[in-house]
Amino acid sequence: MPRHPRRDLDLEGSDPRIVTTLARGLRVLRAFHAHDEQPLGNKELAERTGLAKATVSRLTYTLTQLGFLSQDARSGAYALAAGVLAPAYTFLSRLDIRRVARPYMQKLAIQPGVTVSLATRHELRMTAIESVVAESVVPHAGLFGGRAPIARTAIGHAYLAGLKPDAREQLMAELRDHYAGDWATIGPRIQRDIRTIERKGYCVVLGEWTPSISGVAVPIVVDDDGLVLSMSAGGPAKLLSADLLEELGIMLRDVRRELERAVGRPIRE
């Protein structure tokens, strides 16, 4: 789910310290979706961002000159260019925990149907930065490279559980505003899973949001600066029984201890 243009506009107008032109340029970059089959013209980008076409035209020209967009010579439409990878690579290279985590993830992903993902937050969703998929006769999609809603997934609830109280409260307020009328159902489920993680070290979601998908997840606190990840193991509900998910939860809890020890965090009992 892309960030909503209305939310961007509200943010740009709420704080005089925000550089509007920069914010709008980033809004254009976020308008591109993974499922886009063709480059996007200024008209379509204007529709997706809520910006005037003339403004989009200036922004796409600038982003092209800077290497963040490429322009199709025939149609004049735009696509993301390699320049967007530089900041992403810088971010990912900081996360040496990915290299440390992968062998553990491979050991977890031995049960057919299991996808093990390591993710962190982007806006109101979790974005996978590493993923391992076990062999399965049942087709299923891994989270790698994809995004999952914080409020409606075990991996998102685990992320919330790993945050410091003030950061968690702030994010919960954002989620409450975003989900509005659905919050009466969503909020208590999040609080339940946070309490479960505090008690057991992991939370299990048995087809609660999507009946065909079940999963289990743990938070991983990387450093005191607020970098929190979460790791999940999940897949088709018909392949993952409640007992198996509990076993995976215990294994994930052990992996969490090993990973936090690897980055110098205190050992959790």
Side-chain angles (χ1 to χ4, degrees):
M1 180 187 297
R3 187 184 178 101
H4 197 282
R6 179 74 250 174
R7 189 170 173 222
D8 279 329
L9 185 59
D10 291 342
L11 179 62
E12 290 165 20
S14 65
D15 191 335
R17 295 170 296 179
I18 291 176
V19 180
T20 301
T21 303
L22 174 59
R24 289 178 174 177
L26 294 174
R27 201 194 310 183
V28 169
L29 293 178
R30 285 198 297 266
F32 291 88
H33 304 162
H35 55 75
D36 289 332
E37 296 182 356
Q38 301 292 334
L40 304 179
N42 286 330
K43 180 180 178 182
E44 188 168 8
L45 286 168
E47 293 172 351
R48 290 190 180 186
T49 61
L51 297 171
K53 186 177 177 181
T55 300
V56 169
S57 180
R58 292 193 297 272
L59 291 170
T60 51
Y61 174 82
T62 301
L63 290 167
T64 300
Q65 297 305 306
L66 294 173
F68 290 99
L69 294 180
S70 61
Q71 186 175 26
D72 183 78
R74 183 174 301 178
S75 67
Y78 297 90
L80 292 178
V84 300
L85 296 175
Y89 177 79
T90 301
F91 170 73
L92 291 176
S93 64
R94 177 188 173 204
L95 298 178
D96 187 57
I97 194 171
R98 292 170 63 240
R99 176 184 59 79
V100 178
R102 189 165 182 83
Y104 293 102
M105 296 170 69
Q106 290 172 331
K107 290 180 180 179
L108 285 166
I110 57 174
Q111 180 71 28
V114 172
T115 298
V116 181
S117 296
L118 181 67
T120 192
R121 174 196 176 189
H122 177 62
E123 297 173 355
L124 299 184
R125 300 176 75 83
M126 300 299 294
T127 298
I129 59 174
E130 194 70 55
S131 188
V132 177
V133 182
E135 294 294 331
S136 174
V137 295
V138 178
H140 62 288
L143 179 63
F144 179 66
R147 308 177 72 192
I150 291 173
R152 296 176 180 269
T153 55
I155 201 168
H157 294 186
Y159 174 82
L160 283 162
L163 294 175
K164 293 181 179 179
D166 54 344
R168 183 191 305 162
E169 183 178 348
Q170 180 178 344
L171 179 51
M172 290 284 279
E174 290 186 51
L175 292 169
R176 182 171 58 248
D177 291 343
H178 180 76
Y179 286 98
D182 293 332
W183 189 248
T185 299
I186 294 171
R189 291 182 180 181
I190 293 175
Q191 295 292 356
R192 175 204 64 198
D193 287 344
I194 290 174
R195 290 193 298 269
T196 300
I197 289 171
E198 291 172 346
R199 186 178 76 254
K200 299 171 62 175
Y202 59 89
C203 68
V204 173
V205 174
L206 288 167
E208 193 168 65
W209 303 106
T210 303
S212 61
I213 300 295
S214 294
V216 56
V218 296
I220 300 171
V221 180
V222 178
D223 58 39
D224 291 325
D225 295 330
L227 180 56
V228 175
L229 309 178
S230 52
M231 184 179 289
S232 71
K238 62 183 179 180
L239 295 181
L240 304 178
S241 66
D243 289 343
L244 175 58
L245 287 169
E246 290 289 338
E247 292 177 15
L248 288 169
I250 294 170
M251 295 170 68
L252 280 169
R253 184 177 63 197
D254 292 341
V255 169
R256 173 191 183 182
R257 290 172 179 156
E258 292 299 319
L259 294 180
E260 291 187 346
R261 178 190 296 145
V263 296
R265 302 290 304 176
I267 303 303
R268 299 169 183 269
E269 298 301 335

